């Protein structure tokens, strides 16, 4: 089966068995409805057992699923009259980041997000969702425009990380990311960020300085991939599963650590099973977030964002240790 996930193999095998029995029943006079009903009940129990007890590595696989909805998929479901804008006005246009203006429940907003492809051709065009500096500068241009016209900003995060190639470094990759972090911290309009797939390293953080950071149930958010962490810690990328267990990169872990604000419920088995239903889950959380932030003044929004990041982690003042 195409795009088969390792932990779903028992489900797939059982579904195939059910379909075989149904086909046999339809082609013969033998009634196997009782057996089929028992297998379907068993399937339902197995689905609950697997999907309600997913391990970190299982969630990594779902977050990377080739059919997982992208930023443009959610834009089509959640927003009206989206107008995409291009270019950073310095170098060029980066297709790994999409952005523009749209209406959300009748109100104008700016939408920005990482964009990967659904097939090889589109992935090459979008650099597999790994932005160059011009992508982050395009995003910042649209954010400053949103601030000028007092539009809320909604960011969808879905990238393995910023592109680490020579050309990107020559054009100022690290500076572009750092500039976004600095500027986003001081934006005077509401900023809501949602991790919809992979949230990798500074490439994700460059769109992640918001008043609220939400995360889909099966998304991941970390400073490095499990494979990368395993290569550094144990010199063996094949131990990625072990690394994922200890890295605290899943939504439940990050919610407990206070890094994200809300876990967005995901369709059973992953968002790729029903894009419309998943968009409805996102819509509920997004609408509530913007409603709360709309009550704040520009100064309060900046202070809210500042306090949010100050509360992440723990620290001890040097004077307290002396």
């Amino acid at each position: 089966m195409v795009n088969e996930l390792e932990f779903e193999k028992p489900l797939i095998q059982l579904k195939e068995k059910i379909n075989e029995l149904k086909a046999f029943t339809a082609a013969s006079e033998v009634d196997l409805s009782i057996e089929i009903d028992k297998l379907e009940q068993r399937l339902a129990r197995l689905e609950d057992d697997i999907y309600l007890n997913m391990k970190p590595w299982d969630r990594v696989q779902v977050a990377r699923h080739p059919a997982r909805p992208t930023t443009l998929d959610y834009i089509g479901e959640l927003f009206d009259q989206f107008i995409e804008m291009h270019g950073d006005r310095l170098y060029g246009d980066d297709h790994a980041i999409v952005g523009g203006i749209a209406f959300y429940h009748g109100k104008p907003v700016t939408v920005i997000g990482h964009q990967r492809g659904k097939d090889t051709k589109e992935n090459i065009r979008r650099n597999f969702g790994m932005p160059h500096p011009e992508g982050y500068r395009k995003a910042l241009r649209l954010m400053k425009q949103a601030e000028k016209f007092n539009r809320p900003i909604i960011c969808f995060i879905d990238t393995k990380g910023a592109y680490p190639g020579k050309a990107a470094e020559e054009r100022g990759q690290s500076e572009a990311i750092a500039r976004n972090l600095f500027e986003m911290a001081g934006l005077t309009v509401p900023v809501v960020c949602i991790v919809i797939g992979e949230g990798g390293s500074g490439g994700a953080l460059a769109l992640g300085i918001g008043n609220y950071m939400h995360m889909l149930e099966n998304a991941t958010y970390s400073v490095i991939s499990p494979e990368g962490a395993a290569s550094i810690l144990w010199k063996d990328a094949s131990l990625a599963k072990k690394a994922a267990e200890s890295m605290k990169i899943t939504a439940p872990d990050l919610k407990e650590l206070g890094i994200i604000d809300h876990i967005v419920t995901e369709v059973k088995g992953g968002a790729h099973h029903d894009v419309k239903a998943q968009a409805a889950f996102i819509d509920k959380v997004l609408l509530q977030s913007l409603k709360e932030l709309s009550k704040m003044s520009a100064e309060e929004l900046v202070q809210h964002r500042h306090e949010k990041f100050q509360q992440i982690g723990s620290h001890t003042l040097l004077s307290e240790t002396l």
Side-chain angles (χ1 to χ4, degrees), residues 46-184:
L46 187 58
E47 284 183 336
D48 288 340
D49 183 56
I50 289 177
Y51 291 137
L52 295 177
N53 298 285
M54 292 174 65
K55 304 298 183 184
W57 184 245
D58 298 334
R59 296 188 190 277
V60 169
Q61 292 182 69
V62 175
R64 293 173 173 176
H65 198 287
R68 192 169 177 85
T70 66
T71 293
L72 286 175
D73 289 326
Y74 288 125
I75 286 176
E77 295 292 338
L78 292 167
F79 304 95
D80 297 317
Q81 301 179 45
F82 174 68
I83 300 175
E84 186 176 355
M85 297 184 175
H86 301 272
D88 66 343
R89 303 299 186 265
L90 291 170
Y91 179 83
D93 189 37
D94 186 353
H95 298 295
I97 285 185
V98 296
I101 56 177
F103 284 96
Y104 179 66
H105 289 271
K107 297 182 179 180
V109 296
T110 290
V111 188
I112 303 166
H114 300 97
Q115 181 64 35
R116 54 182 174 76
K118 291 290 187 67
D119 54 38
T120 302
K121 183 178 180 180
E122 189 182 5
N123 264 319
I124 291 173
R125 174 172 173 258
R126 298 194 181 277
N127 202 36
F128 294 84
M130 297 185 291
H132 286 77
E134 51 270 25
Y136 293 116
R137 291 176 178 133
K138 173 172 68 173
L140 181 58
R141 180 175 73 84
L142 296 180
M143 291 178 197
K144 300 302 285 187
Q145 181 195 75
E147 185 177 45
K148 178 179 180 180
F149 292 101
N150 198 33
R151 291 193 298 263
I153 299 168
I154 300 164
C155 294
F156 291 99
I157 296 170
D158 184 17
T159 181
K160 297 178 184 296
Y163 184 61
K166 179 182 177 182
E169 296 298 338
E170 288 176 341
R171 296 199 292 274
Q173 184 71 288
S174 58
E175 187 279 335
I177 292 173
R179 176 65 60 182
N180 275 30
L181 303 183
F182 177 82
E183 295 289 353
M184 287 187 78

Side-chain angles (χ1 to χ4, degrees), residues 266-286:
E266 197 157 327
V267 174
K268 183 183 286 188
H272 56 284
H273 286 288
D274 192 335
V275 180
K276 288 186 178 295
Q278 190 58 57
F281 288 136
I282 294 175
D283 184 44
K284 183 178 179 181
V285 175
L286 188 56

Side-chain angles (χ1 to χ4, degrees), residues 25-46:
T25 300
S28 66
E29 297 181 355
V30 180
D31 184 7
L32 298 174
S33 58
I34 295 177
E35 287 76 7
I36 292 172
D37 185 57
K38 287 181 179 179
L39 287 177
E40 287 180 336
Q41 291 178 27
R42 180 183 167 192
L43 177 63
R45 291 194 299 270
L46 187 58

